[in-house]
Amino acid sequence: MTSVTLSQFRSHQSECIAAAQREPVEITSRGAGRRAVVVSPEFYDRAVQALEDQADVLAAADARREAGRVSHEELQREIGL
């Protein structure tokens, strides 16, 4: 990951954004440490999708652990199939 200071980012925004198309660019600030990370839209989309997928997996696991589960056969009888 490339790392630049906030003042470097201000001076070289277009270069930093171009670099972010290849790898994340960390923006740091004296005294505050890491302030932001610039990534490509594709990287961002993949990261959001992965987080959503993980949330779905966890929700499904929670649902399977719930008491009062109904089997597929019971559900079919209940809805008249």
Side-chain angles (χ1 to χ4, degrees):
M1 178 181 330
T2 301
S3 184
V4 297
T5 65
L6 186 55
S7 60
Q8 289 171 324
F9 181 76
R10 285 185 184 130
S11 299
H12 304 284
Q13 286 182 21
S14 60
E15 291 94 338
C16 291
I17 291 171
Q21 303 311 303
R22 296 182 300 278
E23 66 177 338
V25 176
E26 176 184 58
I27 301 170
T28 61
S29 179
R30 195 179 339 198
R34 187 184 214 184
R35 297 294 304 254
V37 177
V38 180
V39 297
S40 70
E42 294 79 14
F43 181 95
Y44 175 81
D45 291 342
R46 287 192 317 269
V48 168
Q49 185 63 51
L51 289 171
E52 289 172 352
D53 290 348
Q54 182 62 28
D56 291 344
V57 167
L58 293 173
D62 286 344
R64 284 191 297 276
R65 284 191 297 272
E66 280 184 15
R69 289 182 9 185
V70 176
S71 72
H72 185 252
E73 292 77 22
E74 289 172 307
L75 178 60
Q76 286 179 320
R77 278 195 303 274
E78 192 173 310
I79 61 173
L81 294 178

Coordinates of all heavy atoms in Angstrom, one line a residue:
M1 N 0.9 -1.2 0.0 CA 0.0 0.0 0.0 C 0.9 1.2 0.0 O 1.8 1.3 0.8 CB -0.9 0.0 1.2 CG -1.8 1.2 1.3 SD -2.9 1.4 2.7 CE -3.3 -0.2 3.2
T2 N 0.6 2.2 -0.9 CA 1.3 3.4 -0.9 C 0.8 4.3 0.2 O -0.4 4.3 0.5 CB 1.0 4.1 -2.3 OG1 1.5 3.3 -3.3 CG2 1.7 5.4 -2.4
S3 N 1.7 5.1 0.8 CA 1.3 6.0 1.9 C 1.8 7.4 1.5 O 2.9 7.6 1.1 CB 1.9 5.5 3.2 OG 1.5 6.3 4.2
V4 N 0.9 8.4 1.6 CA 1.3 9.8 1.4 C 0.7 10.6 2.5 O -0.3 10.3 3.2 CB 0.7 10.3 0.1 CG1 1.3 9.6 -1.1 CG2 -0.8 10.3 0.0
T5 N 1.4 11.8 2.8 CA 0.9 12.7 3.8 C -0.3 13.5 3.2 O -0.5 13.5 1.9 CB 1.9 13.7 4.3 OG1 2.3 14.5 3.2 CG2 3.1 12.9 4.8
L6 N -1.1 14.1 4.0 CA -2.2 14.9 3.5 C -1.7 16.0 2.7 O -2.3 16.3 1.6 CB -3.0 15.4 4.8 CG -4.3 16.2 4.5 CD1 -5.2 15.3 3.6 CD2 -5.0 16.6 5.8
S7 N -0.6 16.7 3.0 CA -0.1 17.8 2.2 C 0.4 17.2 0.8 O 0.2 17.9 -0.2 CB 1.0 18.5 2.9 OG 2.1 17.7 3.2
Q8 N 1.0 16.0 0.8 CA 1.4 15.4 -0.5 C 0.2 15.1 -1.3 O 0.2 15.3 -2.5 CB 2.2 14.1 -0.2 CG 3.6 14.4 0.3 CD 4.2 13.1 0.7 OE1 3.5 12.1 1.2 NE2 5.5 13.0 0.5
F9 N -0.9 14.6 -0.7 CA -2.1 14.3 -1.4 C -2.7 15.6 -2.0 O -3.1 15.5 -3.2 CB -3.1 13.6 -0.5 CG -4.4 13.3 -1.2 CD1 -4.5 12.2 -2.0 CD2 -5.6 14.0 -1.0 CE1 -5.6 11.9 -2.7 CE2 -6.7 13.7 -1.7 CZ -6.8 12.6 -2.6
R10 N -2.7 16.6 -1.2 CA -3.3 17.9 -1.8 C -2.5 18.4 -3.0 O -3.1 18.9 -3.9 CB -3.2 19.0 -0.7 CG -4.3 18.8 0.4 CD -4.2 20.0 1.3 NE -5.2 19.8 2.4 CZ -4.9 19.9 3.7 NH1 -3.7 20.2 4.1 NH2 -5.8 19.7 4.6
S11 N -1.2 18.2 -2.9 CA -0.3 18.7 -4.0 C -0.3 17.8 -5.3 O -0.1 18.2 -6.4 CB 1.1 18.8 -3.6 OG 1.2 19.7 -2.5
H12 N -0.7 16.5 -5.0 CA -0.6 15.5 -6.1 C -1.8 14.7 -6.2 O -1.7 13.4 -6.4 CB 0.7 14.6 -5.9 CG 1.9 15.4 -5.8 ND1 2.6 16.0 -6.9 CD2 2.7 15.7 -4.7 CE1 3.7 16.6 -6.4 NE2 3.7 16.5 -5.1
Q13 N -3.0 15.3 -6.1 CA -4.2 14.5 -6.1 C -4.4 13.6 -7.3 O -4.7 12.4 -7.2 CB -5.4 15.5 -6.1 CG -5.6 16.1 -4.7 CD -6.9 17.0 -4.7 OE1 -7.8 16.9 -5.6 NE2 -6.9 17.9 -3.8
S14 N -4.1 14.1 -8.5 CA -4.4 13.3 -9.7 C -3.4 12.1 -9.7 O -3.8 10.9 -10.1 CB -4.2 14.1 -11.0 OG -2.9 14.6 -11.1
E15 N -2.2 12.2 -9.3 CA -1.2 11.1 -9.3 C -1.7 10.1 -8.2 O -1.6 8.9 -8.4 CB 0.2 11.6 -9.0 CG 0.8 12.4 -10.1 CD 0.6 13.9 -9.9 OE1 -0.3 14.3 -9.1 OE2 1.4 14.7 -10.5
C16 N -2.1 10.6 -7.1 CA -2.6 9.7 -6.0 C -3.8 8.9 -6.4 O -3.9 7.7 -6.2 CB -2.9 10.4 -4.7 SG -1.4 11.1 -3.9
I17 N -4.7 9.5 -7.1 CA -5.9 8.8 -7.6 C -5.6 7.8 -8.7 O -6.1 6.7 -8.7 CB -7.0 9.9 -8.1 CG1 -7.5 10.6 -6.9 CG2 -8.1 9.2 -8.9 CD1 -8.4 11.8 -7.2
A18 N -4.6 8.2 -9.5 CA -4.1 7.2 -10.5 C -3.5 6.0 -9.8 O -3.7 4.8 -10.2 CB -3.1 7.9 -11.5
A19 N -2.7 6.2 -8.8 CA -2.1 5.1 -8.1 C -3.1 4.3 -7.4 O -2.9 3.0 -7.3 CB -1.1 5.7 -7.0
A20 N -4.2 4.9 -6.9 CA -5.3 4.1 -6.3 C -6.0 3.1 -7.2 O -6.6 2.2 -6.7 CB -6.3 5.1 -5.6
Q21 N -5.8 3.3 -8.5 CA -6.4 2.3 -9.4 C -5.6 1.0 -9.4 O -6.1 0.0 -9.8 CB -6.4 2.9 -10.9 CG -7.1 4.2 -11.0 CD -8.5 4.2 -10.3 OE1 -9.4 3.4 -10.7 NE2 -8.7 5.1 -9.4
R22 N -4.4 1.1 -8.9 CA -3.5 -0.1 -8.9 C -3.4 -0.7 -7.5 O -3.4 -1.9 -7.3 CB -2.1 0.3 -9.3 CG -2.0 0.7 -10.8 CD -0.6 1.0 -11.2 NE 0.1 2.1 -10.4 CZ -0.1 3.4 -10.6 NH1 -0.9 3.8 -11.6 NH2 0.5 4.2 -9.9
E23 N -3.5 0.1 -6.4 CA -3.4 -0.3 -5.1 C -3.9 0.8 -4.1 O -4.0 2.0 -4.5 CB -1.9 -0.6 -4.7 CG -1.0 0.6 -4.6 CD 0.4 0.3 -4.2 OE1 0.6 -0.8 -3.5 OE2 1.3 1.0 -4.5
P24 N -4.4 0.4 -3.0 CA -4.9 1.4 -2.0 C -3.8 2.5 -1.7 O -2.6 2.1 -1.6 CB -5.3 0.6 -0.8 CG -5.6 -0.7 -1.3 CD -4.6 -0.9 -2.4
V25 N -4.2 3.7 -1.5 CA -3.3 4.8 -1.1 C -3.8 5.3 0.2 O -4.9 5.8 0.4 CB -3.3 5.9 -2.2 CG1 -2.4 7.1 -1.7 CG2 -2.9 5.4 -3.5
E26 N -2.9 5.2 1.2 CA -3.2 5.6 2.6 C -2.8 7.1 2.7 O -1.7 7.5 2.3 CB -2.4 4.8 3.6 CG -2.5 5.2 5.0 CD -1.6 4.3 5.9 OE1 -0.4 4.3 5.6 OE2 -2.1 3.7 6.8
I27 N -3.7 7.9 3.3 CA -3.4 9.3 3.5 C -3.2 9.5 5.0 O -4.1 9.1 5.8 CB -4.5 10.2 3.0 CG1 -4.7 10.0 1.5 CG2 -4.2 11.7 3.3 CD1 -5.9 10.6 0.9
T28 N -2.0 10.0 5.4 CA -1.7 10.2 6.8 C -1.6 11.7 7.1 O -1.4 12.5 6.2 CB -0.3 9.5 7.2 OG1 0.7 10.1 6.4 CG2 -0.4 8.0 6.9
S29 N -1.7 12.0 8.4 CA -1.6 13.3 8.9 C -0.7 13.4 10.1 O -0.9 12.5 11.0 CB -3.0 13.9 9.1 OG -2.9 15.2 9.6
R30 N 0.1 14.3 10.2 CA 1.0 14.4 11.4 C 0.2 14.6 12.6 O -0.8 15.4 12.7 CB 1.9 15.6 11.2 CG 3.1 15.7 12.2 CD 3.9 16.9 11.9 NE 3.7 17.4 10.6 CZ 4.5 18.3 10.0 NH1 5.6 18.6 10.6 NH2 4.3 18.7 8.8
G31 N 0.4 13.7 13.6 CA -0.3 13.8 14.9 C -1.6 13.0 14.9 O -2.0 12.5 15.9
A32 N -2.2 12.9 13.7 CA -3.5 12.1 13.7 C -3.3 10.7 13.1 O -4.2 9.9 13.1 CB -4.5 12.9 12.9
G33 N -2.1 10.5 12.5 CA -1.9 9.1 11.9 C -2.7 9.0 10.6 O -2.8 9.9 9.8
R34 N -3.2 7.8 10.5 CA -4.0 7.4 9.3 C -5.3 8.2 9.2 O -6.1 8.2 10.1 CB -4.3 5.9 9.3 CG -4.9 5.3 8.2 CD -5.2 3.9 8.5 NE -5.0 3.1 7.3 CZ -5.2 1.8 7.3 NH1 -5.6 1.2 8.4 NH2 -5.1 1.1 6.2
R35 N -5.5 8.9 8.1 CA -6.7 9.7 8.0 C -7.7 9.2 7.0 O -8.9 9.3 7.2 CB -6.4 11.2 7.5 CG -5.5 11.9 8.5 CD -6.2 12.3 9.7 NE -7.4 13.0 9.5 CZ -7.6 14.3 9.7 NH1 -6.7 15.0 10.2 NH2 -8.8 14.8 9.5
A36 N -7.2 8.5 5.9 CA -8.1 8.0 4.9 C -7.4 7.0 4.0 O -6.1 7.0 4.1 CB -8.7 9.1 4.0
V37 N -8.1 6.2 3.3 CA -7.5 5.3 2.3 C -8.3 5.5 1.0 O -9.6 5.4 1.0 CB -7.6 3.9 2.8 CG1 -7.0 3.0 1.7 CG2 -6.8 3.7 4.1
V38 N -7.6 5.8 -0.1 CA -8.3 6.0 -1.4 C -8.1 4.7 -2.1 O -7.0 4.1 -2.2 CB -7.6 7.1 -2.1 CG1 -8.3 7.3 -3.5 CG2 -7.7 8.4 -1.3
V39 N -9.2 4.2 -2.7 CA -9.2 2.9 -3.4 C -10.0 3.1 -4.8 O -10.7 4.1 -4.9 CB -9.8 1.8 -2.7 CG1 -9.0 1.5 -1.4 CG2 -11.3 2.0 -2.3
S40 N -9.7 2.2 -5.7 CA -10.4 2.3 -6.9 C -11.9 1.9 -6.7 O -12.3 1.3 -5.8 CB -9.8 1.3 -8.0 OG -10.1 0.0 -7.6
P41 N -12.8 2.4 -7.6 CA -14.2 2.0 -7.5 C -14.4 0.5 -7.5 O -15.3 0.0 -6.8 CB -14.9 2.7 -8.7 CG -14.0 3.8 -9.1 CD -12.6 3.3 -8.7
E42 N -13.6 -0.2 -8.3 CA -13.7 -1.7 -8.4 C -13.4 -2.3 -7.1 O -14.1 -3.2 -6.6 CB -12.9 -2.2 -9.6 CG -13.3 -1.8 -10.9 CD -12.9 -0.4 -11.3 OE1 -12.0 0.2 -10.6 OE2 -13.4 0.1 -12.3
F43 N -12.3 -1.8 -6.5 CA -11.9 -2.4 -5.2 C -13.0 -2.1 -4.1 O -13.4 -3.0 -3.4 CB -10.6 -1.7 -4.7 CG -10.1 -2.2 -3.4 CD1 -9.1 -3.2 -3.4 CD2 -10.5 -1.7 -2.2 CE1 -8.7 -3.7 -2.1 CE2 -10.1 -2.2 -1.0 CZ -9.1 -3.2 -1.0
Y44 N -13.5 -0.9 -4.1 CA -14.6 -0.6 -3.2 C -15.8 -1.4 -3.4 O -16.4 -2.0 -2.5 CB -15.0 0.9 -3.4 CG -16.2 1.3 -2.6 CD1 -16.0 1.6 -1.2 CD2 -17.5 1.4 -3.1 CE1 -17.1 2.0 -0.4 CE2 -18.5 1.7 -2.3 CZ -18.4 2.0 -1.0 OH -19.5 2.4 -0.2
D45 N -16.2 -1.6 -4.7 CA -17.4 -2.5 -5.0 C -17.2 -3.9 -4.5 O -18.1 -4.5 -3.9 CB -17.7 -2.4 -6.5 CG -18.3 -1.1 -6.9 OD1 -18.7 -0.3 -6.1 OD2 -18.2 -0.8 -8.2
R46 N -16.0 -4.4 -4.7 CA -15.7 -5.8 -4.3 C -15.7 -5.9 -2.8 O -16.3 -6.9 -2.2 CB -14.4 -6.3 -4.8 CG -14.4 -6.6 -6.3 CD -13.1 -7.3 -6.7 NE -11.9 -6.8 -6.2 CZ -11.1 -5.9 -6.8 NH1 -11.5 -5.3 -7.9 NH2 -10.0 -5.5 -6.2
A47 N -15.2 -4.9 -2.1 CA -15.2 -4.9 -0.6 C -16.6 -4.9 -0.1 O -16.9 -5.6 0.9 CB -14.3 -3.8 -0.1
V48 N -17.4 -4.0 -0.6 CA -18.8 -3.9 -0.1 C -19.6 -5.2 -0.4 O -20.3 -5.7 0.5 CB -19.5 -2.7 -0.8 CG1 -21.0 -2.7 -0.5 CG2 -18.9 -1.4 -0.3
Q49 N -19.4 -5.8 -1.6 CA -20.0 -7.0 -1.9 C -19.6 -8.1 -0.9 O -20.4 -8.9 -0.4 CB -19.8 -7.4 -3.3 CG -20.5 -8.7 -3.7 CD -22.0 -8.5 -3.7 OE1 -22.5 -7.5 -4.3 NE2 -22.8 -9.3 -3.0
A50 N -18.3 -8.2 -0.6 CA -17.8 -9.2 0.3 C -18.4 -9.0 1.7 O -18.8 -10.0 2.4 CB -16.3 -9.1 0.4
L51 N -18.5 -7.8 2.2 CA -19.1 -7.5 3.5 C -20.6 -7.9 3.5 O -21.1 -8.5 4.5 CB -19.0 -6.0 3.8 CG -17.6 -5.6 4.2 CD1 -17.5 -4.1 4.3 CD2 -17.1 -6.3 5.5
E52 N -21.3 -7.6 2.4 CA -22.7 -8.0 2.3 C -22.9 -9.5 2.3 O -23.8 -10.0 2.9 CB -23.4 -7.3 1.1 CG -23.6 -5.8 1.2 CD -24.0 -5.2 -0.1 OE1 -24.0 -5.8 -1.1 OE2 -24.3 -4.0 0.0
D53 N -22.0 -10.2 1.5 CA -22.1 -11.6 1.5 C -21.8 -12.2 2.9 O -22.5 -13.1 3.3 CB -21.0 -12.2 0.5 CG -21.4 -11.9 -0.9 OD1 -22.5 -11.4 -1.2 OD2 -20.5 -12.1 -1.8
Q54 N -20.9 -11.7 3.6 CA -20.6 -12.2 4.9 C -21.7 -11.9 5.9 O -22.1 -12.8 6.7 CB -19.3 -11.5 5.5 CG -18.9 -12.0 6.8 CD -18.5 -13.5 6.9 OE1 -18.1 -14.0 5.9 NE2 -18.7 -14.1 8.0
A55 N -22.4 -10.8 5.8 CA -23.6 -10.5 6.6 C -24.7 -11.5 6.3 O -25.4 -12.0 7.2 CB -24.1 -9.1 6.4
D56 N -24.9 -11.9 5.0 CA -25.9 -12.9 4.6 C -25.5 -14.2 5.2 O -26.4 -14.9 5.7 CB -26.0 -13.0 3.1 CG -26.6 -11.7 2.5 OD1 -27.2 -10.9 3.2 OD2 -26.4 -11.6 1.3
V57 N -24.3 -14.6 5.2 CA -23.8 -15.9 5.7 C -24.1 -15.9 7.2 O -24.6 -16.9 7.8 CB -22.3 -16.2 5.4 CG1 -21.8 -17.3 6.3 CG2 -22.1 -16.4 4.0
L58 N -23.8 -14.9 7.9 CA -24.0 -14.8 9.4 C -25.5 -14.8 9.7 O -25.9 -15.5 10.7 CB -23.4 -13.6 10.0 CG -21.8 -13.6 9.9 CD1 -21.3 -12.2 10.4 CD2 -21.2 -14.7 10.8
A59 N -26.3 -14.1 8.9 CA -27.8 -14.1 9.2 C -28.3 -15.5 8.9 O -29.2 -16.0 9.7 CB -28.4 -13.1 8.2
A60 N -27.9 -16.2 7.9 CA -28.4 -17.6 7.6 C -28.0 -18.5 8.8 O -28.8 -19.3 9.2 CB -27.8 -18.1 6.3
A61 N -26.8 -18.4 9.3 CA -26.3 -19.2 10.4 C -27.2 -18.9 11.6 O -27.6 -19.9 12.3 CB -24.8 -19.0 10.7
D62 N -27.5 -17.7 11.9 CA -28.3 -17.3 13.0 C -29.7 -17.9 12.9 O -30.3 -18.4 13.8 CB -28.4 -15.8 13.2 CG -27.2 -15.2 13.7 OD1 -26.3 -15.9 14.3 OD2 -27.0 -13.9 13.6
A63 N -30.2 -17.8 11.7 CA -31.6 -18.4 11.4 C -31.6 -19.9 11.6 O -32.6 -20.4 12.2 CB -32.0 -18.0 10.0
R64 N -30.5 -20.6 11.2 CA -30.5 -22.0 11.4 C -30.4 -22.4 12.9 O -30.9 -23.5 13.3 CB -29.3 -22.6 10.7 CG -29.5 -22.7 9.2 CD -28.5 -23.6 8.5 NE -27.1 -23.0 8.6 CZ -26.6 -22.1 7.8 NH1 -27.4 -21.6 6.8 NH2 -25.4 -21.6 8.0
R65 N -29.9 -21.5 13.7 CA -29.8 -21.8 15.2 C -31.0 -21.5 15.9 O -31.2 -21.8 17.1 CB -28.6 -21.1 15.8 CG -27.3 -21.7 15.4 CD -26.2 -21.0 16.2 NE -26.0 -19.6 16.0 CZ -25.2 -19.1 15.0 NH1 -24.5 -19.9 14.2 NH2 -25.1 -17.8 14.9
E66 N -31.9 -20.7 15.3 CA -33.2 -20.3 16.0 C -34.0 -21.5 16.5 O -34.1 -22.5 15.8 CB -34.0 -19.4 15.1 CG -33.6 -18.0 15.0 CD -34.5 -17.2 14.2 OE1 -35.7 -17.6 13.9 OE2 -34.1 -16.1 13.8
A67 N -34.6 -21.4 17.7 CA -35.5 -22.4 18.2 C -36.8 -22.3 17.4 O -37.1 -21.2 16.8 CB -35.8 -22.2 19.6
G68 N -37.5 -23.4 17.3 CA -38.8 -23.4 16.6 C -38.7 -23.5 15.1 O -39.6 -23.0 14.4
R69 N -37.6 -24.0 14.7 CA -37.4 -24.2 13.2 C -38.5 -25.1 12.7 O -39.0 -26.0 13.4 CB -36.0 -24.8 12.9 CG -34.9 -23.8 13.1 CD -33.6 -24.3 12.8 NE -33.5 -25.6 12.1 CZ -32.4 -26.2 11.8 NH1 -31.3 -25.7 12.2 NH2 -32.4 -27.4 11.2
V70 N -38.8 -25.0 11.4 CA -39.8 -25.8 10.8 C -39.1 -26.5 9.6 O -38.4 -25.9 8.8 CB -41.0 -24.9 10.2 CG1 -41.9 -25.7 9.4 CG2 -41.6 -24.2 11.3
S71 N -39.3 -27.8 9.5 CA -38.7 -28.6 8.4 C -39.4 -28.2 7.1 O -40.5 -27.6 7.1 CB -38.9 -30.1 8.7 OG -40.2 -30.5 8.5
H72 N -38.7 -28.6 6.0 CA -39.2 -28.3 4.7 C -40.6 -29.0 4.5 O -41.5 -28.4 4.0 CB -38.2 -28.8 3.6 CG -38.6 -28.4 2.2 ND1 -39.1 -29.4 1.4 CD2 -38.7 -27.3 1.6 CE1 -39.4 -28.8 0.2 NE2 -39.1 -27.5 0.3
E73 N -40.7 -30.2 5.0 CA -41.9 -31.0 4.9 C -43.0 -30.3 5.7 O -44.2 -30.2 5.2 CB -41.7 -32.4 5.3 CG -40.8 -33.3 4.4 CD -39.3 -33.0 4.6 OE1 -38.9 -32.4 5.7 OE2 -38.5 -33.3 3.7
E74 N -42.7 -29.9 6.9 CA -43.7 -29.2 7.7 C -44.2 -27.9 7.0 O -45.4 -27.6 7.0 CB -43.2 -28.9 9.1 CG -43.0 -30.1 10.0 CD -42.2 -29.7 11.2 OE1 -41.2 -29.1 11.1 OE2 -42.8 -30.0 12.3
L75 N -43.3 -27.2 6.4 CA -43.7 -26.0 5.8 C -44.6 -26.3 4.6 O -45.6 -25.6 4.3 CB -42.4 -25.2 5.3 CG -42.7 -23.9 4.5 CD1 -43.4 -22.9 5.4 CD2 -41.4 -23.3 4.0
Q76 N -44.3 -27.3 3.8 CA -45.1 -27.7 2.7 C -46.5 -28.0 3.1 O -47.5 -27.6 2.5 CB -44.5 -28.8 1.9 CG -43.3 -28.5 1.1 CD -42.7 -29.6 0.3 OE1 -42.6 -30.7 0.9 NE2 -42.3 -29.4 -0.9
R77 N -46.6 -28.8 4.2 CA -47.9 -29.2 4.7 C -48.7 -27.9 5.2 O -49.9 -27.7 4.9 CB -47.8 -30.2 5.9 CG -47.6 -31.6 5.5 CD -47.8 -32.6 6.6 NE -46.9 -32.3 7.8 CZ -45.7 -32.8 7.9 NH1 -45.2 -33.5 6.9 NH2 -45.0 -32.5 9.0
E78 N -48.0 -27.0 5.8 CA -48.6 -25.8 6.4 C -49.2 -24.9 5.3 O -50.2 -24.3 5.5 CB -47.6 -25.1 7.2 CG -48.2 -24.0 8.1 CD -47.2 -23.3 9.0 OE1 -46.5 -24.1 9.7 OE2 -47.1 -22.1 9.0
I79 N -48.5 -24.8 4.2 CA -49.0 -24.0 3.1 C -49.8 -24.7 2.0 O -50.2 -24.2 1.0 CB -47.8 -23.2 2.4 CG1 -46.8 -24.1 1.8 CG2 -47.2 -22.2 3.4 CD1 -45.7 -23.3 1.0
G80 N -50.0 -26.0 2.3 CA -50.9 -26.8 1.4 C -50.2 -27.3 0.2 O -50.9 -27.5 -0.8
L81 N -49.0 -27.6 0.2 CA -48.4 -28.2 -1.0 C -48.2 -29.7 -1.0 O -48.1 -30.3 0.0 CB -47.0 -27.6 -1.2 CG -47.0 -26.1 -1.6 CD1 -45.6 -25.6 -1.7 CD2 -47.7 -25.8 -2.8

